[in-house]
Amino acid sequence: MLGRNRNSALRLAATSILASSALAQSNFTCQSSGAGTTYNATSKYLGCYLDPSVSILGAVKLSTIAMTPELCTNFCGARGYSYAGINFGTQCFCDVQANFANAQKTTDGNCSSKCYTDPTQRCGATYVESLYQVTNPQGNASTGSASNNFIPACQTSPLCSHQVCNTSLSTADRVASLVSELELEEKILNLVDSAAGSGRLGLPPYEWWNEATHGVGSAPGVQFAHMGSNYSYATSFPSPILTAAAFDDALVRAIGEVVGREGRAFGNGGFAGFDYWAPNMNAFRDPRWGRGQETPGEDIFHVQNYVKNYVPGLQGPDADQKQIIATCKHYAVYDVETGRYGNDYDPSVQDLADYYLAAFKTCVRDAHVGSVMCSYNAVGGYPSCANEYLLEEVLREHWGFDSTSSYVVSDCGAVTDIYQYHNFTNTEEAAASVALNAGTDIECGSSYLKLNASLADGQVTIARMDQALNRLYSALFTVGYFDGNQYTSLDFSDVATPDAQNLAYTAAHEGMTLLQNDGLLPLGETNSYKNVAVIGPYANATTQMQGDYSGTPKYLRSPLSAFQNQSGWNVTYAMGTLINAFNDSGIQAAVDAAKNADLIVYLGGIDGTLENEQLDRLSLTYPSYQLELISQLANLNAPMIVVTFGGGQLDHTPIFNNSGVDSVVWAGYPSQDGGPALLDVLLGKQSIAGRLPVTQYPASYANETNIFDIALRPNVNSTGRTYKWYTGVPVRPFGFGMHYTTFSFAWDDQPGSHYDITELIAASQNNGPINDNTPFTTVTATVQNTGNHTSDYVGLLFLSSDSGPLPLPNKSLVSYSRLHNITVGGSDQLILPLTLGSLARADVNGNLVVYPGNYKLMLDNDACLEYSFTLTGDAAIIETLPTQGPRSQYNFTVPVNVQAPSWQAYS
């Protein structure tokens, strides 16, 4: 791929065009059901407006790098809208009326973004809108008359007359013909996320940036219409960290199916694209990471299972006929926001194999994801989006990432960062070149717009550009973008259905986790409490409960509203203090409000003001003024519950040690039904069985461990990462979670007491190639409810061993399962499958190896059941990584500066 000269590339391109001309001899009929009519808007410029909430116009949106005032007004006017405006340089908004309530007219100079394809014109700016009135909208300008529904591209004119729409040809030939017809400038304009399409060919513009972390989310490609209109809302599920706490793979799959269905409905309605940048499956390695809330937690096996279920849920069962295209992000070794644009991490190959790459392997090899996003940071000195080891040797060659219809997209601005922050190249043009050459097929950003200069300088080839475009359009074929598919009929009636709403409620209560209980909980559906004080900065939370990467839900039910609707309760509310207050304002008023209460519920923790994208936490302590308020409330001597929200764990030691606090619950970001779900858990209407998906560390951890130290194993800079390697005493361990009842346990089926590794591998080979997914055995155990409340139960099966490279992990999660509604006196069976990967550990070369030695299985953190067995014989490699990590040198077409590992923020 690297080092091909420009002349050979031009010859390859010419050959491709000739081949496509031959294809064009096939006869077919253009069958158009849409577009093609000529409409030209007339418009009046109204001025430049500050638009901080992006709320001046909001009925319909179009995003494209080819945006101009003419394109925007034609787009809006053709749909019957009388107002059009351009924000962010690429986004056109339409509406029947302009809302100036949150807008302020400013000087034209503030609309400073030049239109990319016509720099003589202005296309708004960031949160600044160039506003126009369309004076000749088609149809009824009071409602917007024309449908915004997406029409498969090959059902529109003039594209339908081109060979890309000739269904008698193979998909590969159809895509090749389309790419061959694109002019060079058109090719470049379709290698960025706000792809321009081709007005000349009739290829529609397409925005690749859509979000679906825990529901259809706000993004440049997603538009939520005005409330009350179709496509004004979508189901908002709890943040992944709370869903992960349920340890319920079937729940994850069901959520993925709903999000995929709703995402496709939005695409069909013209309110989103057909690809979504989810899931975020970087493991939550450091408790300070601001985006840990988006992830399934710290354990990589748990993350792998999450991906194995969420991705097929989103995409559907057929990789060639997808519901939507999912994107596994961020590849790779990305879990720090501080300095993220320029940092380099140099993990050992052992950690790469064991931890940092494992979930991406699952995503590609097992879940057959359609897209992978390369991350901001560098790995081994090479920026991830210019990292040939990651993108070619591992992703495509080793894991088999589809080279024809699967693509790599950059994180937004990551290609520019190669030059700007990593200083890996000397120019932005060179940054675009190394990214494209290394395998980044499409950029979220604008550096690829310099590829014309890169081509002229011999830094890239037309053949590589064509390869990227072929992958992108082939991927769009898999979702029916050109022809439609079985999901094309999904529409707004498939969004936020009763089943979807019920699932969001279920996910919220299944993940909630009981951290302490002195017998107060459950309160009982009928209870004697009359005066209930609801205190704290989360008491009346709505959007605050959603976490980041959220969309607009049909409703948001706060804890306060749920408590106020509880029969027999007289509820008194006071916020008391802000999440991270700088003074004690409001504390006394809250204490006064609770003085006559016979039950106090405090709702606090952290939110997006302390943990978010670009915002790591500095401390693990509970915010000080919240602790002060909790302490004063506890002194009132009423029964008291503390509910902590947020993704990252806080050190609850002062709360656990406060005798005035009876019960503590962690509720994550429970989203749209967080209030009712929490109330029902506290009452006992729903059982509580969540388990912490991350370790709750003591506050001192932030001072003992360098956030930039990427190593998992303990060293001079770190006390060890995650429950596997942490050498201290956690406040609450990974997997901790209490119940309202008690259980007894008994083994049913156990492994044998002894296995010869050679014989084990030989027997396993009868079922196909050996890897970490190869079945080993299945363990079963009976769980009996010996208490007084019907309850779910999560069985976590850990394994420890005395074998393999030192240091040894404390233990490893190797299987889990969730049982539902075990009645009092009743029982159910845990079925816990094990694989060869359960036994394997990575050696110093990145090989996954099954070692001889003594092994012990333990059910749950307290090892309520144990079983030991031995493996004998020679160690066996079941999987490898190529070349034992990044090579010291690659054949770049431009000068590069290999980066040293970061021990401080580099951006």
Side-chain angles (χ1 to χ4, degrees), residues 13 116 202 271 338 458 511 624 634 703 735 753 820:
Y116 284 103
F271 285 83
T338 309
S624 60
N703 300 320
S753 60
H820 297 273

Side-chain angles (χ1 to χ4, degrees), residues 337-403:
E337 298 304 290
T338 309
R340 67 177 184 169
Y341 301 117
N343 289 351
D344 172 72
Y345 301 114
D346 193 12
S348 68
V349 184
Q350 190 175 29
D351 282 349
L352 278 177
D354 247 349
Y355 197 73
Y356 292 110
L357 299 185
F360 289 97
K361 171 183 65 182
T362 298
C363 192
V364 171
R365 184 194 65 188
D366 306 326
H368 307 293
V369 76
S371 173
V372 169
M373 176 182 286
C374 53
S375 58
Y376 288 118
N377 57 284
V379 177
Y382 300 89
S384 296
C385 293
N387 196 311
E388 193 166 333
Y389 172 73
L390 291 177
L391 300 182
E392 289 293 337
E393 294 176 37
V394 176
L395 184 66
R396 292 201 181 274
E397 296 172 13
H398 190 61
W399 293 339
F401 191 50
D402 188 349
S403 61

Side-chain angles (χ1 to χ4, degrees), residues 673-687:
D673 260 319
L678 175 63
L679 176 63
D680 289 347
V681 162
L682 298 183
L683 294 175
K685 184 177 179 180
Q686 300 292 348
S687 68

Side-chain angles (χ1 to χ4, degrees), residues 597-905:
D598 49 22
L599 175 67
I600 300 171
V601 183
Y602 178 83
L603 303 102
I606 54 178
D607 64 7
T609 63
L610 287 178
E611 57 170 1
N612 218 318
E613 187 164 3
Q614 301 188 65
L615 182 62
D616 291 323
R617 288 189 289 156
L618 299 177
S619 171
L620 304 181
T621 59
Y622 224 95
S624 60
Y625 285 105
Q626 288 194 58
L627 280 179
E628 175 62 26
L629 177 54
I630 290 170
S631 178
Q632 292 195 34
L633 291 171
N635 289 336
L636 297 177
N637 295 318
M640 183 172 173
I641 303 164
V642 170
V643 182
T644 297
F645 293 81
Q649 287 293 305
L650 296 165
D651 182 349
H652 281 75
T653 300
I655 299 171
F656 293 149
N657 291 341
N658 190 324
S659 61
V661 176
D662 298 275
S663 304
V664 180
V665 172
W666 175 68
Y669 292 103
S671 207
Q672 65 180 46
D673 260 319
L678 175 63
L679 176 63
D680 289 347
V681 162
L682 298 183
L683 294 175
K685 184 177 179 180
Q686 300 292 348
S687 68
I688 191 163
R691 302 297 191 98
L692 288 182
V694 287
T695 301
Q696 186 175 120
Y697 295 95
S700 59
Y701 184 90
N703 300 320
E704 297 165 352
T705 300
N706 189 321
I707 195 172
F708 299 109
D709 184 359
I710 209 69
L712 297 172
R713 292 153 181 80
N715 56 52
V716 294
N717 300 300
S718 168
T719 55
R721 302 290 196 173
T722 80
Y723 74 96
K724 288 188 178 184
W725 304 104
Y726 180 50
T727 55
V729 178
V731 177
R732 289 290 187 266
F734 169 87
F736 182 89
M738 302 172 69
H739 303 84
Y740 294 154
T741 192
T742 56
F743 300 96
S744 66
F745 308 89
W747 288 124
D748 295 328
D749 296 310
Q750 305 149 310
S753 60
H754 168 267
Y755 296 88
D756 178 87
I757 294 175
T758 302
E759 293 176 358
L760 180 63
I761 297 296
S764 299
Q765 286 174 331
N766 296 330
N767 298 318
I770 298 294
N771 61 29
D772 57 308
N773 282 336
T774 301
F776 164 47
T777 190
T778 296
V779 175
T780 63
T782 294
V783 180
Q784 184 172 14
N785 186 341
T786 58
N788 300 315
H789 300 279
T790 296
S791 181
D792 288 9
Y793 174 76
V794 170
L796 303 178
L797 189 65
F798 295 96
L799 181 142
S800 65
S801 173
D802 61 5
S803 64
L806 298 175
L808 300 173
N810 300 319
K811 60 182 179 180
S812 300
L813 181 69
V814 291
S815 194
Y816 61 84
S817 181
R818 186 179 183 114
L819 303 178
H820 297 273
N821 297 317
I822 308 175
T823 58
V824 174
S827 63
D828 203 348
Q829 187 181 58
L830 283 171
I831 301 174
L832 300 165
L834 299 173
T835 66
L836 292 184
S838 306
L839 307 175
R841 289 184 56 211
D843 66 13
V844 293
N845 295 318
N847 301 313
L848 286 185
V849 182
V850 177
Y851 291 98
N854 299 305
Y855 291 77
K856 182 168 69 172
L857 293 171
M858 298 158 287
L859 183 63
D860 216 338
N861 279 310
D862 58 1
C864 53
L865 291 177
E866 295 184 355
Y867 184 80
S868 297
F869 61 96
T870 60
L871 299 181
T872 59
D874 294 332
I877 296 174
I878 63 170
E879 196 170 322
T880 63
L881 271 181
T883 67
Q884 300 177 10
R887 299 196 302 270
S888 59
Q889 187 173 355
Y890 289 88
N891 183 27
F892 289 98
T893 60
V894 299
V896 298
N897 311 298
V898 178
Q899 194 174 354
S902 303
W903 289 97
Q904 61 183 359

Side-chain angles (χ1 to χ4, degrees), residues 439-478:
T440 301
D441 299 302
I442 185 169
E443 180 205 10
C444 179
S446 58
S447 292
Y448 272 14
L449 300 180
K450 297 183 178 293
L451 285 173
N452 211 334
S454 300
L455 184 66
D457 290 343
Q459 297 175 5
V460 297
T461 66
I462 292 177
R464 172 62 190 116
M465 293 169 62
D466 287 354
Q467 181 188 51
L469 290 165
N470 270 275
R471 289 170 176 169
L472 294 168
Y473 293 126
S474 296
L476 287 180
F477 262 99
T478 69

